[in-house]
Amino acid sequence: STLPDAPHLLLGGGGQDSGQGRVEDDVALIAGRLRGLAADGAPMLMICGMYQLFGNAFITVEGAELPGLGILDVTTRGNAKRMIGGLVVETEFGDVVGFENHSGSTVLAPGQAPLGRVQAGNGNNGTDGTEGARTGNVIGSYLHGPALPANPRLADHLIGAAAELA
């Protein structure tokens, strides 16, 4: 639960919903630092579970609410149904591709920009046509890997933003 003094690029992944509570405690210890880094333009790519924790809240399928960091203005609810399969999203970085496997249904608050529009797959929730969220250089997404090797323009954006901080 520590960070380097001057991180240039942060990546976060996912896991089973049952692990959200354990990870949330560690993330809470560095919450202020993560919010500050995001506000200062540090590039971050948060996939699946970390995408959910970078939002306002994750509400488990049982109804327990885990507070998030609020860096992305999204709220996620756990579902019994999983959204699994190929995902193609139209973004400013061109079409990005990946594999989604999540039971969280994420809804963007009014004014929160998505990463992009779903061309194939479910995306955030399978109903509104959005995938991921983006605020500044912080990107949250359900695009499981290999997200960066499969999407060089997205990788180049994150690396370029990191180089500007160096």
Side-chain angles (χ1 to χ4, degrees), residues 24-95:
E24 178 194 29
D25 293 341
D26 287 339
V27 170
L29 294 173
I30 56 173
R33 182 98 188 281
L34 289 169
R35 288 184 192 106
L37 288 166
D40 290 343
M44 303 180 188
L45 177 62
M46 298 296 141
I47 303 295
C48 202
M50 287 303 291
Y51 167 32
Q52 295 166 352
L53 288 178
F54 266 56
N56 296 317
F58 175 77
I59 303 159
T60 68
V61 70
E62 295 84 18
E65 184 169 334
L66 305 175
L69 295 174
I71 293 172
L72 299 168
D73 198 3
V74 304
T75 300
T76 302
R77 291 187 173 275
N79 296 308
K81 175 187 166 231
R82 296 196 72 76
M83 293 176 256
I84 302 172
L87 184 58
V88 180
V89 182
E90 180 183 10
T91 76
E92 73 176 80
F93 312 108
D95 285 351

Side-chain angles (χ1 to χ4, degrees), residues 131-153:
E131 164 47 25
R134 181 168 179 211
T135 298
N137 286 326
V138 178
I139 297 171
S141 177
Y142 287 114
L143 283 166
H144 289 75
L148 296 176
N151 300 291
R153 288 182 59 197

Side-chain angles (χ1 to χ4, degrees), residues 70-131:
I71 293 172
L72 299 168
D73 198 3
V74 304
T75 300
T76 302
R77 291 187 173 275
N79 296 308
K81 175 187 166 231
R82 296 196 72 76
M83 293 176 256
I84 302 172
L87 184 58
V88 180
V89 182
E90 180 183 10
T91 76
E92 73 176 80
F93 312 108
D95 285 351
V96 295
V97 298
F99 186 82
E100 63 182 330
N101 182 356
H102 58 102
S103 61
S105 181
T106 301
V107 176
L108 281 62
Q112 172 63 63
L115 170 60
R117 305 292 306 168
V118 173
Q119 302 302 302
N122 293 287
N124 281 328
N125 52 50
T127 59
D128 69 7
T130 65
E131 164 47 25

